[in-house]
């Protein structure tokens, strides 16, 4: 009698145990045994691992050592932007760019150029431009072709245009470029860059595509339009400035799949995971660090799922937490990167290693 009464309960317990094992097995993808998952990030990843950096960081021996152990791609966090190099019509400050390009070449590191046109780094003399549209376009064309031509064979890829669409909208931002060159300025800038270097890879780069379907659709429509008109474009940069649960994994997955469909390369171009938008934290808790680690691991898994020929790599937007743009921009202390302010690895680093290794 006792056995007959307890049989259904026993069955349910066994069923739950079986289901839980299956679920755990699905999450624990065994890494490739031929890869040492404790190596530097660039040794583990099947695609480039990049870092946003600046020359003044490279003069720190500890920073330089960690960079060369882990990264095989560099993005200038600000040194290659128009407001730094294009100091007047026909006049350039090349030193900041040359410094970074020289370092990358000496260390056999890929350089991703960022960014030829961005409303967030337009020199004042361009913003204040007065003249004809034709003269303005000639200035921009000369700037693009001078910069891309100078680093031909040295810079592998460029963010030709950065953040051209309004956030949460499919409309073009009212930038100085749109004002003087018209709505089709993006296409012409890609053509100018291609004319300067037939081999350089040309990217469009933007943020919040996973969370803004209208903005994402505008980018996808632009890509299809470029294809129809034979306007050169090679890739899309998803900046990936993330919070712990925003945008959701489902939103990221959907956007990655949509861009995979275009056949273009995909660059997770500015990855960081901020934790303190609300300003409620005054230190990095163990719980938050572990949640951040899980997110970095998952982002690596998303890139792993991209077809090999479309993987352009994952670039982290800064090395140590104290280098990040986020505290100054959002106004709260934050810990968004893989290394702490003392260049010690955080749980996010080990989790990112694990994700790359799967
Ligand atoms: O320009 C000075 C330079 O002359 C000086 O030598 C140097 C050292 O003190 O500082 C430079 O100042 C600031 C620079 O960051 C270094 O801290 C610039 O004034 C400041 O504008 C620049 O901010 C950068 C910002 O883009 C604008 O270029 C941030 O570091 C960088 O993280 C941020 O990155 C953007 C991406 O390009 C596009 N996506 C969003 C992302 C975050 O805003």
């Amino acid at each position: 009698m006792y056995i007959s009464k307890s049989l259904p309960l026993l069955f349910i317990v066994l069923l739950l145990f079986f289901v839980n094992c299956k679920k755990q097995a699905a999450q624990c993808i065994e890494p490739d045994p031929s890869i040492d998952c404790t190596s530097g990030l660039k040794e583990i990843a099947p695609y480039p691992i990049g870092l946003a950096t600046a020359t003044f960081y490279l003069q720190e021996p500890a920073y330089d050592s960690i960079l060369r152990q882990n990264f095989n791609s560099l993005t200038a966090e600000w040194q290659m932007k128009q407001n730094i190099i294009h100091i007047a019509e026909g006049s350039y400050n090349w030193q900041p760019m040359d410094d970074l390009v020289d370092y990358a070449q000496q260390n056999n590191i890929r350089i991703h150029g960022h960014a030829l046109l961005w409303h967030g780094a337009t020199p004042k003399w361009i913003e204040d431009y007065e003249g004809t549209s034709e003269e303005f376009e000639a200035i921009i064309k000369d700037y693009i072709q001078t910069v891309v031509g100078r680093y031909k064979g040295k810079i592998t890829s460029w963010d030709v245009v950065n953040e051209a669409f309004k956030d949460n909208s499919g409309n073009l931002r009212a930038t100085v470029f749109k004002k003087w060159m018209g709505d089709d300025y993006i296409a012409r800038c890609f053509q100018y860059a291609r004319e300067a270097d037939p081999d350089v890879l040309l990217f469009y780069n933007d943020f919040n595509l996973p969370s803004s379907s209208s903005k994402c659709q505008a980018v996808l429509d632009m890509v299809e339009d470029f294809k129809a008109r034979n306007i050169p474009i090679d890739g899309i940069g998803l900046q990936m400035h993330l919070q712990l649960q925003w945008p959701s994994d489902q939103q990221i997955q959907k956007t990655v799949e949509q861009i995979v469909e275009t056949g273009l390369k995909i660059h997770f171009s500015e990855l960081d995971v901020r934790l303190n938008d609300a300003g409620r934290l005054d230190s990095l808790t163990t719980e938050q660090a572990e949640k951040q680690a899980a997110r970095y691991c998952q982002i690596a898994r998303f890139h792993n799922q991209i077809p090999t020929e479309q993987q352009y790599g994952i670039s982290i937007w800064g090395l140590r937490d104290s280098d990040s743009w986020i505290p100054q921009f959002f106004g709260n202390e934050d810990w968004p990167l893989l290394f702490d302010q003392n260049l010690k690895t955080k749980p996010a680093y080990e989790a990112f290693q694990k994700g790359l290794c799967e």
Side-chain angles (χ1 to χ4, degrees):
M1 198 56 176
Y2 175 73
I3 292 173
S4 61
K5 272 187 177 177
S6 64
L7 196 55
L9 179 60
L10 181 60
F11 174 76
I12 290 169
V13 167
L14 285 173
L15 179 64
L16 287 175
F17 175 74
F18 173 75
V19 167
N20 187 46
C21 283
K22 283 291 286 178
K23 186 180 170 194
Q24 283 180 347
Q27 286 168 347
C28 299
I29 303 167
E30 284 312 310
D32 179 340
S34 68
I35 300 173
D36 172 3
C37 293
T38 61
S39 307
L41 301 175
K42 71 178 185 181
E43 308 303 335
I44 299 170
Y47 40 74
I49 299 298
L51 179 69
T53 191
T55 304
F56 47 61
Y57 294 134
L58 304 178
Q59 281 130 28
E60 296 176 45
Y63 182 108
D64 169 57
S65 171
I66 289 171
L67 189 164
R68 288 185 287 111
Q69 283 170 13
N70 288 281
F71 301 94
N72 47 11
S73 181
L74 287 185
T75 300
E77 188 167 11
W78 51 274
Q79 284 172 237
M80 295 189 179
K81 290 170 181 171
Q82 194 179 11
N83 62 333
I84 302 294
I85 62 171
H86 197 190
I87 53 183
E89 184 175 351
S91 181
Y92 299 89
N93 171 27
W94 295 121
Q95 198 57 54
M97 275 186 81
D98 286 347
D99 292 346
L100 215 52
V101 171
D102 292 348
Y103 174 89
Q105 290 212 297
Q106 287 157 17
N107 291 284
N108 191 30
I109 294 174
R110 179 183 82 178
I111 279 265
H112 176 70
H114 173 81
L116 291 171
L117 264 61
W118 180 38
H119 67 277
T122 309
K124 189 173 183 314
W125 67 274
I126 288 278
E127 286 294 345
D128 299 343
Y129 175 79
E130 290 181 359
T132 68
S133 293
E134 292 72 18
E135 288 166 349
F136 184 89
E137 177 133 4
I139 290 169
I140 297 303
K141 178 179 180 180
D142 180 63
Y143 154 69
I144 290 173
Q145 297 192 332
T146 300
V147 175
V148 174
R150 178 184 173 88
Y151 297 100
K152 184 175 175 181
K154 294 181 179 179
I155 291 182
T156 307
S157 48
W158 273 102
D159 290 333
V160 177
V161 175
N162 184 51
E163 303 176 15
F165 295 97
K166 287 179 183 173
D167 206 17
N168 296 318
S169 155
N171 301 321
L172 282 173
R173 291 177 187 272
T175 65
V176 67
F177 310 110
K178 180 179 183 291
K179 173 182 174 185
W180 290 103
M181 297 170 71
D183 288 1
D184 203 29
Y185 80 92
I186 301 174
R188 296 204 297 284
C189 289
F190 273 78
Q191 288 174 316
Y192 297 151
R194 173 58 69 240
E195 288 165 10
D197 182 346
D199 302 316
V200 70
L201 296 174
L202 306 176
F203 281 76
Y204 175 78
N205 191 59
D206 214 328
F207 66 94
N208 288 2
L209 297 191
S211 56
S212 172
S213 55
S214 54
K215 186 179 189 180
C216 184
Q217 192 54 55
V219 173
L220 296 170
D221 291 346
M222 177 186 75
V223 169
E224 290 314 306
D225 169 55
F226 279 21
K227 285 179 180 176
R229 292 194 287 153
N230 290 320
I231 306 291
I233 183 168
D234 301 291
I236 298 294
L238 290 175
Q239 291 184 7
M240 302 295 258
H241 292 299
L242 310 176
Q243 297 177 56
L244 280 183
Q245 289 166 340
W246 179 90
S248 70
D249 284 352
Q250 292 72 20
Q251 288 173 309
I252 295 172
Q253 174 94 36
K254 179 182 177 186
T255 299
V256 170
E257 287 170 356
Q258 286 176 307
I259 300 175
V260 165
E261 282 301 303
T262 69
L264 294 188
K265 296 183 184 299
I266 302 176
H267 184 200
F268 290 179
S269 57
E270 306 183 14
L271 177 59
D272 46 34
V273 180
R274 61 185 187 269
L275 305 165
N276 200 24
D277 269 26
R280 282 194 281 267
L281 297 173
D282 54 18
S283 66
L284 178 60
T285 64
T286 302
E287 180 193 7
Q288 294 292 313
E290 292 301 335
K291 288 178 178 177
Q292 182 185 57
R295 182 124 252 215
Y296 269 101
C297 180
Q298 183 54 47
I299 297 305
R301 287 176 177 149
F302 280 134
H303 211 79
N304 297 345
Q305 292 160 12
I306 295 169
T308 304
E309 67 279 5
Q310 291 179 263
Q311 294 171 334
Y312 199 66
I314 303 176
S315 294
I316 313 294
W317 206 247
L319 185 63
R320 71 200 135 186
D321 288 334
S322 49
D323 298 339
S324 176
W325 65 287
I326 285 171
Q328 186 180 10
F329 188 86
F330 289 97
N332 298 313
E333 193 176 2
D334 215 311
W335 310 272
L337 299 172
L338 299 178
F339 292 80
D340 71 17
Q341 62 182 13
N342 301 313
L343 288 177
K344 298 290 180 249
T345 58
K346 295 158 60 181
Y349 178 89
E350 280 76 24
F352 192 52
Q353 274 183 316
K354 180 178 179 300
L356 294 174
C357 214
E358 290 175 355

